[in-house]
Amino acid sequence: MNKVFKTAILVFGITLFMSNSSFGQSDNRPDRKEPPTFKELLEEMDANEDGKLSEKEVKGPLKKDFAKVDANEDGVITEEELKNAPKPERKERK
């Protein structure tokens, strides 16, 4: 009886562990969106088609952080400046 009881507890523990780990979050989330490339931003926002993004042309989060991204403060964002831009802070989950 004692051996049967220990085996049952072991099987229950392994089953509980395996079922609990299957509900964990996966690192392979297909819905994870990558940031747009500079080319994609140009296609969407570069109104005068000069290959740069001015503060008047940009919108969304990039407009809010324009001064941080425009490293040389010339009023436009180049591909190099966007590549070297500080990464946005992540929002805290509740």
Side-chain angles (χ1 to χ4, degrees):
M1 173 83 174
N2 196 13
K3 188 175 182 178
V4 173
F5 183 72
K6 287 181 181 178
T7 304
I9 294 289
L10 182 63
V11 169
F12 177 76
I14 290 172
T15 304
L16 183 63
F17 174 77
M18 295 301 287
S19 66
N20 190 26
S21 67
S22 68
F23 290 110
Q25 291 184 351
S26 170
D27 289 335
N28 309 344
R29 296 186 338 187
D31 61 340
R32 184 173 214 160
K33 188 176 178 183
E34 295 294 319
T37 64
F38 187 73
K39 183 179 177 183
E40 292 170 336
L41 291 174
L42 285 178
E43 289 172 3
E44 184 180 334
M45 295 186 234
D46 188 16
N48 63 2
E49 299 179 354
D50 65 350
K52 302 173 188 172
L53 297 170
S54 70
E55 192 167 8
K56 291 179 183 178
E57 293 173 319
V58 297
K59 55 189 171 190
L62 187 55
K63 186 166 189 83
K64 184 182 124 211
D65 294 328
F66 189 87
K68 292 178 188 174
V69 179
D70 183 18
N72 62 2
E73 300 176 354
D74 65 349
V76 293
I77 295 174
T78 62
E79 185 172 9
E80 189 68 25
E81 286 175 322
L82 188 66
K83 187 172 96 174
N84 296 325
K87 302 294 180 223
E89 295 179 20
R90 297 186 78 167
K91 294 179 183 176
E92 299 244 354
R93 291 185 180 196
K94 293 181 181 179

